[in-house]
Amino acid sequence: MSSFPALRMRRGRSSPWMREMLAENRLHPSDFILPMFVCEGSGCEEPIASLRGVSRWSVDRLAERAREAARLGIPCVALFPNTPARLRTDDAAEALNPDNLICRGIRAIKDAVPQIGILTDVALDPYTSHGHDGLTDDRGCVVNDATVEMLVRQAVVQAAAGADIVAPSDMMDGRVGAIRSALEQDGHCDVAIMAYAAKYASAFYGPFRDAVGSKGLLKGDKRSYQMDPANGFEAIREVELDLAEGADMVMVKPGLPYLDVLARVKDTFGVPTFAYQVSGEYAMIEAAAEAGAADRDALILETLMAFKRAGATGVLTYHALDAARLING
Ligand code: PBG
């Protein structure tokens, strides 16, 4: 075994070209999925206070953003609706409306930017009056099987509108298999499923709930369906189940605080594994930069590289446009 002074690790870091040549991972715009928020109205851009730099866009302005993403080399966008309060009900009926914000958003983007992929969230929280991802019983508990029936119908409605990937983010049991068979039955065999397989009950979702307008509505918390941050092995079981039920790709969420889970999932299954760098992580980076505590561009690139190093196939990130611009130079 040769060691110092014969072996000097710094030789490999000695110049920019050497570092470039020896880099184990590289960021590319195709690593990113851009989440976008959709609102009612026309010609609207609504800045989101807790997510500085991110806005909700009305359907007629959504395609501009998607076109910019495509131009930068981003392969896919993820859509989330800010459903008007009057359309939020206990039974989340608006989730099944083929003309809801999401379906109109899908069609607008498909029309204008057919080359970009569209991922949609399957969960009821943007449509319920209580802000939970599912239907609740009279004690306010989220009921699994009745919720799954709704999610199945919601996924089929999104697929019919043109979604390329449906992404159940609700954490109900058995929903991936139920959605897969409904999609097959309905002729949507090309629509893929990205399962939010290991989704933790996290404080990092705060700004997102503000963005979709469910923040003030949520009664209680989501700990009876989203995972306990204490658990790592349980994530492996969740992923195993979702894959067995027909998930094409899986996701770990949040991102940076759960890199250990991401790496374990990727190393265990070797399937397409995505990370969601969630709204609270975005807000944390922005706040650090704003406070002058660190360089914003460097934080963006370093955190995204961390996902790649941990084994991520790609990352859902609100910094997708910024990152792609930085990478493209
Ligand atoms: C809801 C959903 C959430 C996110 C994506 N889908 C929030 C939640 O579970 O409460 C969070 C994304 C983010 O924080 O950026 N089904």
Side-chain angles (χ1 to χ4, degrees):
M1 275 297 260
S2 91
S3 60
F4 182 82
L7 181 63
R8 291 176 185 266
M9 294 303 284
R10 291 184 57 191
R11 275 198 287 273
R13 304 171 198 144
S14 54
S15 59
W17 68 262
M18 181 74 89
R19 293 191 290 271
E20 182 68 25
M21 189 171 78
L22 297 186
E24 295 176 29
N25 293 285
R26 274 169 231 286
L27 286 172
H28 189 267
S30 62
D31 294 326
F32 310 130
I33 295 176
L34 173 69
M36 296 198 295
F37 298 103
V38 197
C39 62
E40 282 294 349
S42 62
C44 296
E45 173 182 4
E46 297 176 1
I48 300 159
S50 53
L51 271 181
R52 207 149 22 91
V54 179
S55 296
R56 305 180 195 101
W57 300 86
S58 54
V59 171
D60 59 325
R61 297 199 57 190
L62 210 52
E64 291 168 31
R65 303 290 286 172
R67 188 176 291 110
E68 173 68 357
R71 197 186 61 77
L72 289 165
I74 294 168
C76 187
V77 296
L79 300 183
F80 299 94
N82 183 300
T83 308
R86 65 188 156 81
L87 296 177
R88 295 179 195 239
T89 54
D90 283 355
D91 65 358
E94 179 66 7
L96 308 183
N97 175 2
D99 285 317
N100 66 17
L101 270 178
I102 281 298
C103 294
R104 280 182 280 140
I106 296 169
R107 289 194 291 265
I109 294 174
K110 278 291 161 198
D111 256 11
V113 199
Q115 70 274 27
I116 204 160
I118 302 180
L119 177 151
T120 53
D121 216 57
V122 181
L124 303 181
D125 54 310
Y127 309 98
T128 52
S129 39
H130 44 67
H132 278 293
D133 291 31
L135 304 175
T136 53
D137 63 16
D138 24 333
R139 295 182 349 245
C141 291
V142 173
V143 202
N144 196 86
D145 299 7
T147 298
V148 170
E149 281 176 34
M150 282 292 288
L151 298 171
V152 164
R153 294 166 66 194
Q154 179 185 25
V156 169
V157 165
Q158 293 173 348
D164 300 294
I165 306 175
V166 293
S169 72
D170 54 286
M171 291 301 278
M172 297 303 117
D173 288 317
R175 89 281 207 218
V176 171
I179 290 171
R180 186 70 266 161
S181 36
L183 289 174
E184 297 297 316
Q185 258 171 37
D186 230 61
H188 301 296
C189 58
D190 291 333
V191 172
I193 298 179
M194 182 189 292
Y196 282 71
K199 176 172 177 177
Y200 287 85
S202 172
F204 286 95
Y205 305 151
F208 174 95
R209 292 181 189 164
D210 189 12
V212 298
S214 67
K215 189 170 202 151
L217 301 177
L218 184 64
K219 298 203 178 72
D221 58 51
K222 301 192 177 183
R223 283 186 281 189
S224 80
Y225 45 107
Q226 299 180 348
M227 287 178 59
D228 184 341
N231 299 349
F233 289 110
E234 191 186 339
I236 302 296
R237 292 184 79 192
E238 283 284 4
V239 169
E240 194 169 28
L241 283 167
D242 286 356
L243 290 172
E245 290 179 29
D248 300 284
M249 13 190 163
V250 296
M251 190 203 293
V252 173
K253 178 187 175 190
L256 282 190
Y258 297 86
L259 274 190
D260 57 323
V261 176
L262 177 75
R264 275 159 88 173
V265 165
K266 181 61 180 301
D267 291 346
T268 304
F269 299 101
V271 299
T273 304
F274 288 77
Y276 199 144
Q277 186 175 42
V278 300
S279 57
E281 297 178 71
Y282 174 94
M284 217 158 61
I285 291 172
E286 292 297 316
E290 176 69 15
D295 179 71
R296 180 175 182 270
D297 293 352
L299 286 177
I300 292 173
L301 293 178
E302 186 178 334
T303 56
L304 292 171
M305 183 62 89
F307 292 113
K308 293 289 300 259
R309 194 184 60 247
T313 308
V315 190
L316 287 87
T317 172
Y318 302 97
H319 280 127
L321 295 173
D322 303 87
R325 281 190 199 105
L326 288 169
I327 293 162
N328 291 337

